[in-house]
Amino acid sequence: MKKLSLLMVLGIIFITTGCTNDDSNNSMACDLKTLISSEEYANAPSDQLTINSLKITENCLKINFSSSGCSGDTWELKLIDSEDIMESNPAQRNLRLSLKNGEACTAFITKELSFDISNLQIDGNQVLLNITNSNDEILYKY
């Protein structure tokens, strides 16, 4: 009787958790989308920030950055592409991380966000992303 109960419990667990071959759950979801706009690139807020690191995983650009503030909870961030594609090998795009920071505290806060950069793909299989307000660049291969 105990074996039958154990088998029933295991069967229920197997059925409720299920087995699938769907790999879509393994895809990384980015926090925000990247904007492509020459107007936003030129006019979006540019409050002081420091970009600490850049890393690309799949189609997400992960940016670790710091700025002064109270908690960073009210910060408004955008990753904006200038719309210009510079012909070189590899081709290049200019982006900037825009921060609107209305916090008047002196704490130095570090955060990390990821941005979907799939809309930055061009012909070929790679593009060099110049992050203008960090003086850094990163190669995006797709």
Side-chain angles (χ1 to χ4, degrees):
M1 189 69 164
K2 287 183 181 182
K3 287 183 182 180
L4 183 57
S5 296
L6 179 60
L7 286 174
M8 286 178 58
V9 169
L10 290 174
I12 291 170
I13 290 172
F14 181 75
I15 290 169
T16 57
T17 58
C19 268
T20 67
N21 289 330
D22 183 9
D23 290 333
S24 63
N25 292 337
N26 293 335
S27 295
M28 181 175 186
C30 309
D31 298 318
L32 300 167
K33 295 185 181 284
T34 300
L35 303 174
I36 299 176
S37 168
S38 58
E39 184 179 332
E40 285 275 336
Y41 183 85
N43 299 317
S46 57
D47 291 337
Q48 183 65 41
L49 63 86
T50 300
I51 295 178
N52 305 314
S53 66
L54 304 168
K55 180 181 180 184
I56 295 177
T57 304
E58 295 181 16
N59 290 317
C60 293
L61 173 60
K62 192 178 291 187
I63 303 178
N64 182 291
F65 61 95
S66 304
S67 186
S68 62
C70 303
S71 65
D73 292 341
T74 64
W75 293 351
E76 294 177 30
L77 287 125
K78 297 177 188 176
L79 182 63
I80 309 166
D81 177 85
S82 69
E83 289 189 73
D84 295 326
I85 300 172
M86 291 161 285
E87 298 298 325
S88 59
N89 192 12
Q92 300 179 50
R93 298 186 81 127
N94 290 327
L95 296 101
R96 78 174 178 93
L97 184 61
S98 165
L99 171 64
K100 182 177 180 182
N101 181 358
E103 297 182 358
C105 300
T106 58
F108 198 65
I109 299 162
T110 298
K111 290 192 170 210
E112 189 168 85
L113 288 174
S114 62
F115 296 86
D116 183 344
I117 55 173
S118 59
N119 61 342
L120 301 179
Q121 295 179 7
I122 56 173
D123 289 340
N125 62 353
Q126 63 184 7
V127 63
L128 189 62
L129 305 178
N130 299 312
I131 314 301
T132 58
N133 56 334
S134 76
N135 295 321
D136 211 351
E137 59 189 30
I138 188 166
L139 185 61
Y140 173 35
K141 295 181 181 182
Y142 40 90

